[in-house]
Amino acid sequence: MEEFREKADRVKKEYLKSHPELTEKLFRVQENSSLTKEETDDEMCRLWEEEYWRIVDTCNEEVETEYGNDLDVKVFDSGFHPDRDGKRHPWDLNKFPSNSLCLLKALDIPIPGMTSPWLYLGMLFATFCFHTEDHFLYSINYHHLGAPKIWYGVPRQGATKFEQALRENVPAVFKESPDLLHRLVTMISPSVATGYGINMCRAVQNAGEFIITCPEAYHGGFNMGFNCGEAVNFALHDWLPIGRQAVEFYQKGAGKRAVVFAHNKLLHDLCKSFTDGSLDPFCLSDDEVECYYTCLEEYTKSMEEELVLRSWLKGEGVVGNYVGRHKIKEDDECPVCSTIPFFSAVSCACRPNKLVCLRHAFQSCGCSSSQKKLHLQVSAAEMMMVKKNLEMKNRGSTPPPRPLIPELHARNGTACR
């Protein structure tokens, strides 16, 4: 870190030396005794912000910077440490994945950034380009030390319009790279975004402060000098339907990309953990009650969709057989849509070791249904039992006084929360 800090300080010093006009403006602000410290800090941020967007928007100057991003704390250590008594702070990001209300605790494989935090080392103008979190998860970022970060965010309701603005501003790049939205290499200035009627927010994050991003909220920004941050994803119960939408978005069109984990596996394992008898439904918090009801509603939807697809394949003449858990591996991606099947999958005699999701059973090859086989990892009886047990568990709790899941906006821009 010290080597990176030295380089970051050197880069900033050299940049100021080569840009005397900016240096003069910054000096005048610092020497202005009529400004409070807060006003001075705000004005300094404004000047650096103007300089950043001048570079990005005009493309008249090439600036080279480095960003130490996505550094696994399991390898590079965390900025959070236990106190002398061995206790960890309640907001220690290493504790988030195992929090009782964090649904990612049901993941049974380590995923850096989700089941453990990532570290970030920034320097002047080092940029985290606009993106949404994997699976549209929540994220929390803590600024340990150093220069401020400037963040820009677009709420979930504006996601579709924001994607349109990006495509229209760099159409040639999108034509060459249709998956550009997932590459974290694109920035668009707030002035351009607001021209499309997009509601963009801005925040300055200083050392000792947290930034939380919400599901499907596009966000990006840059650093004003050397700093160190730490971030991790998390999921609350209201994320479940949005996470399902993320998988659907990844399966088609401009949003097509591979998933990080099997959403239905997370949901299934989560529901099973809720019904193992370890929790007393009469002693649940309001948040836990809402989580139960959300899980029940989402599991019912996933189960019904699965059974409809199985019935369709049976009608097409595809024979099914039960294979049990752990037969469909975590890296068994559907070659058509890149999703990871969980409840079941289809194979074909032409490629017996390649599994396809049920929805694309006849799109991976031209073979007839007699050549295909449906592998059931979770039987219909087991799914019905999980649903029944969850319903029984919920009987001991009081339903939320309001609709738990507000109407979620569709990708076509209608019906927004």
Side-chain angles (χ1 to χ4, degrees), residues 197-307:
I198 297 168
N199 181 22
M200 181 177 285
C201 63
R202 170 188 178 276
V204 178
Q205 184 187 24
N206 295 292
E209 296 177 345
F210 290 92
I211 289 283
I212 292 176
T213 68
C214 293
E216 203 184 357
Y218 274 94
H219 53 282
F222 69 95
N223 301 278
M224 291 171 51
F226 170 78
N227 56 32
C228 176
E230 192 165 343
V232 72
N233 287 122
F234 65 98
L236 303 177
H237 66 88
D238 61 353
W239 162 81
L240 276 172
I242 304 172
R244 172 168 46 82
Q245 286 185 357
V247 174
E248 294 170 357
F249 181 54
Y250 293 165
Q251 288 177 329
K252 54 193 175 184
K256 194 168 184 179
R257 53 155 285 185
V259 297
V260 178
F261 58 83
H263 182 86
N264 281 338
K265 180 180 186 301
L266 173 71
L267 179 62
H268 181 78
D269 292 349
L270 191 65
C271 291
K272 287 195 71 173
S273 71
F274 284 157
T275 59
D276 63 2
S278 62
L279 293 176
D280 182 352
F282 293 97
C283 300
L284 297 176
S285 68
D286 290 342
D287 287 330
E288 289 170 325
V289 170
E290 289 191 352
C291 189
Y292 268 36
Y293 276 87
T294 307
C295 286
L296 175 58
E297 182 168 342
E298 284 300 300
Y299 193 82
T300 300
K301 289 179 180 178
S302 294
M303 181 189 72
E304 290 176 349
E305 178 182 340
E306 172 73 14
L307 296 181

Side-chain angles (χ1 to χ4, degrees), residues 65-335:
T65 187
E66 295 183 11
Y67 197 15
N69 62 317
D70 301 349
L71 305 174
D72 189 354
V73 299
K74 300 290 186 181
V75 177
F76 295 94
D77 199 7
S78 168
F80 294 95
H81 296 99
D83 61 20
R84 294 178 180 177
D85 297 325
K87 296 181 180 179
R88 288 191 172 273
H89 193 277
W91 282 80
D92 183 340
L93 299 193
N94 293 276
K95 297 177 62 175
F96 267 65
S98 60
N99 185 280
S100 62
L101 295 178
C102 180
L103 307 190
L104 299 184
K105 65 180 181 292
L107 290 173
D108 57 5
I109 55 173
I111 305 176
M114 291 186 181
T115 58
S116 60
W118 268 336
L119 275 176
Y120 296 84
L121 298 178
M123 66 171 62
L124 181 63
F125 297 146
T127 301
F128 46 108
C129 293
F130 278 112
H131 64 287
T132 56
E133 296 298 309
D134 289 335
H135 288 252
F136 296 165
L137 288 161
Y138 283 92
S139 76
I140 179 168
N141 182 297
Y142 181 71
H143 190 329
H144 283 294
L145 56 88
K149 294 174 183 273
I150 295 185
W151 291 69
Y152 305 96
V154 177
R156 179 159 54 91
Q157 295 91 327
T160 302
K161 192 179 292 186
F162 184 71
E163 291 161 8
Q164 177 188 350
L166 286 173
R167 291 194 188 92
E168 292 183 4
N169 274 268
V170 285
V173 183
F174 269 94
K175 185 177 181 179
E176 182 180 341
S177 306
D179 63 344
L180 193 66
L181 290 172
H182 306 302
R183 292 194 175 188
L184 280 73
V185 294
T186 309
M187 288 298 280
I188 182 173
S189 71
S191 60
V192 173
T194 53
Y196 282 83
I198 297 168
N199 181 22
M200 181 177 285
C201 63
R202 170 188 178 276
V204 178
Q205 184 187 24
N206 295 292
E209 296 177 345
F210 290 92
I211 289 283
I212 292 176
T213 68
C214 293
E216 203 184 357
Y218 274 94
H219 53 282
F222 69 95
N223 301 278
M224 291 171 51
F226 170 78
N227 56 32
C228 176
E230 192 165 343
V232 72
N233 287 122
F234 65 98
L236 303 177
H237 66 88
D238 61 353
W239 162 81
L240 276 172
I242 304 172
R244 172 168 46 82
Q245 286 185 357
V247 174
E248 294 170 357
F249 181 54
Y250 293 165
Q251 288 177 329
K252 54 193 175 184
K256 194 168 184 179
R257 53 155 285 185
V259 297
V260 178
F261 58 83
H263 182 86
N264 281 338
K265 180 180 186 301
L266 173 71
L267 179 62
H268 181 78
D269 292 349
L270 191 65
C271 291
K272 287 195 71 173
S273 71
F274 284 157
T275 59
D276 63 2
S278 62
L279 293 176
D280 182 352
F282 293 97
C283 300
L284 297 176
S285 68
D286 290 342
D287 287 330
E288 289 170 325
V289 170
E290 289 191 352
C291 189
Y292 268 36
Y293 276 87
T294 307
C295 286
L296 175 58
E297 182 168 342
E298 284 300 300
Y299 193 82
T300 300
K301 289 179 180 178
S302 294
M303 181 189 72
E304 290 176 349
E305 178 182 340
E306 172 73 14
L307 296 181
V308 167
L309 289 171
R310 289 184 184 184
S311 177
W312 165 63
L313 289 174
K314 183 179 180 180
E316 294 291 327
V318 179
V319 178
N321 71 306
Y322 179 70
V323 297
R325 291 295 295 271
H326 308 301
K327 298 298 182 182
I328 301 176
K329 301 180 179 63
E330 291 287 348
D331 56 355
D332 279 328
E333 292 183 1
C334 171

